[in-house]
Amino acid sequence: MTSGPGVELIDANAMLGRLPTTDVGGGSTADLTKTMDRMGIRQAVVTHTAAWRHDPPTGNRLLLREAADQPRLLPCWVVLPDTCGETGPPERFLAEAERGGVVAVRAYPADHGYHLGGRSAARLLDALAEARLPLFVDAEQLTWTEVEQIATVHADLPIVVCRTGYRALRELAGVLARTGNVHVDLSGLSSHLGVDWLAERFGAERLIFGTGLPVRDPADAVTGLLWSELDDVQAAAVGGGNLRRLLRCQEAA
């Protein structure tokens, strides 16, 4: 068992805002940081629920406004392909993201009605890869074939697949074996000894600590890491070091 107090936790997968059909708290920065304090989480990469469930440009602006005085909360914007013009061309979107201190982006292709690996999103992915801005996407939003296709075509693009579920190990393992830029977060990764097996087979550097707050109970990811058989160096990497490395990628662009 790892020594929990020595592991810095940075959550790669958290949200602000209310959800229309799920009662998971008030959705405020105070609610989120209170939970982070209770679970020993130092910082969190956050997206706004309004950018997912309502309108990405509006939700992205709301995120910056609500997180402006919260240095522990690192903004993550929701992206769209520029087929309908909501977010403008990728170059302008990325310039605005940089000015806003955005550290990563999320995509919801199934919910927002496009194929992330299709031609409509190609310019966007090219721009994200050039900037090395990490892309987060939930496993249910696309197929593993699409994940691998995108990762292969855009080898400089860090991709983090979230909410994989406990039945995804065979598909996930194949993609991890054939790519070098795909990572997986711990939210929903509840297979027995799954964290240990993935770290042993593919390296702890492919694992990212993420809780899925507030939809998922953060204790799931915290317990999965701190009660794993990873050594302290590996646990520290998964807990926060790997995410810091991915977020620094954009600084080198």
PDB file of all heavy atoms in Angstrom, residues 51 72 82 97 125 149:
ATOM      1  N   ALA A  51     -20.840  24.398 -20.381  1.00  0.00           N
ATOM      2  CA  ALA A  51     -20.140  24.202 -21.651  1.00  0.00           C
ATOM      3  C   ALA A  51     -20.415  22.825 -22.226  1.00  0.00           C
ATOM      4  O   ALA A  51     -20.285  22.618 -23.440  1.00  0.00           O
ATOM      5  CB  ALA A  51     -18.635  24.390 -21.450  1.00  0.00           C
ATOM      6  N   ARG A  72      -6.394  27.250  -7.337  1.00  0.00           N
ATOM      7  CA  ARG A  72      -6.373  25.786  -7.276  1.00  0.00           C
ATOM      8  C   ARG A  72      -7.154  25.157  -8.431  1.00  0.00           C
ATOM      9  O   ARG A  72      -7.018  23.956  -8.675  1.00  0.00           O
ATOM     10  CB  ARG A  72      -6.965  25.306  -5.952  1.00  0.00           C
ATOM     11  CG  ARG A  72      -6.163  25.728  -4.732  1.00  0.00           C
ATOM     12  CD  ARG A  72      -6.902  25.355  -3.466  1.00  0.00           C
ATOM     13  NE  ARG A  72      -7.045  23.915  -3.319  1.00  0.00           N
ATOM     14  CZ  ARG A  72      -7.832  23.346  -2.403  1.00  0.00           C
ATOM     15  NH1 ARG A  72      -8.554  24.103  -1.593  1.00  0.00           N
ATOM     16  NH2 ARG A  72      -7.898  22.029  -2.312  1.00  0.00           N
ATOM     17  N   ASP A  82     -15.258  23.884 -36.150  1.00  0.00           N
ATOM     18  CA  ASP A  82     -15.725  25.194 -36.608  1.00  0.00           C
ATOM     19  C   ASP A  82     -16.721  25.088 -37.767  1.00  0.00           C
ATOM     20  O   ASP A  82     -16.760  25.949 -38.632  1.00  0.00           O
ATOM     21  CB  ASP A  82     -14.524  26.065 -37.025  1.00  0.00           C
ATOM     22  CG  ASP A  82     -14.935  27.506 -37.306  1.00  0.00           C
ATOM     23  OD1 ASP A  82     -15.895  27.972 -36.659  1.00  0.00           O
ATOM     24  OD2 ASP A  82     -14.315  28.132 -38.174  1.00  0.00           O
ATOM     25  N   ALA A  97      -7.959  30.959 -25.556  1.00  0.00           N
ATOM     26  CA  ALA A  97      -7.703  30.012 -24.469  1.00  0.00           C
ATOM     27  C   ALA A  97      -6.400  30.347 -23.750  1.00  0.00           C
ATOM     28  O   ALA A  97      -6.331  30.301 -22.512  1.00  0.00           O
ATOM     29  CB  ALA A  97      -7.659  28.592 -25.023  1.00  0.00           C
ATOM     30  N   LEU A 125      -8.085  19.490 -34.424  1.00  0.00           N
ATOM     31  CA  LEU A 125      -7.100  18.557 -33.868  1.00  0.00           C
ATOM     32  C   LEU A 125      -5.682  18.917 -34.304  1.00  0.00           C
ATOM     33  O   LEU A 125      -4.737  18.779 -33.519  1.00  0.00           O
ATOM     34  CB  LEU A 125      -7.442  17.129 -34.291  1.00  0.00           C
ATOM     35  CG  LEU A 125      -8.732  16.555 -33.709  1.00  0.00           C
ATOM     36  CD1 LEU A 125      -8.992  15.158 -34.255  1.00  0.00           C
ATOM     37  CD2 LEU A 125      -8.707  16.538 -32.187  1.00  0.00           C
ATOM     38  N   GLN A 149      -7.199   6.094 -33.926  1.00  0.00           N
ATOM     39  CA  GLN A 149      -7.007   6.825 -35.182  1.00  0.00           C
ATOM     40  C   GLN A 149      -6.518   8.243 -34.921  1.00  0.00           C
ATOM     41  O   GLN A 149      -5.551   8.716 -35.543  1.00  0.00           O
ATOM     42  CB  GLN A 149      -8.316   6.873 -35.965  1.00  0.00           C
ATOM     43  CG  GLN A 149      -8.279   7.767 -37.194  1.00  0.00           C
ATOM     44  CD  GLN A 149      -9.677   8.179 -37.656  1.00  0.00           C
ATOM     45  OE1 GLN A 149     -10.669   7.617 -37.220  1.00  0.00           O
ATOM     46  NE2 GLN A 149      -9.734   9.169 -38.516  1.00  0.00           N
TER      47      GLN A 149
END
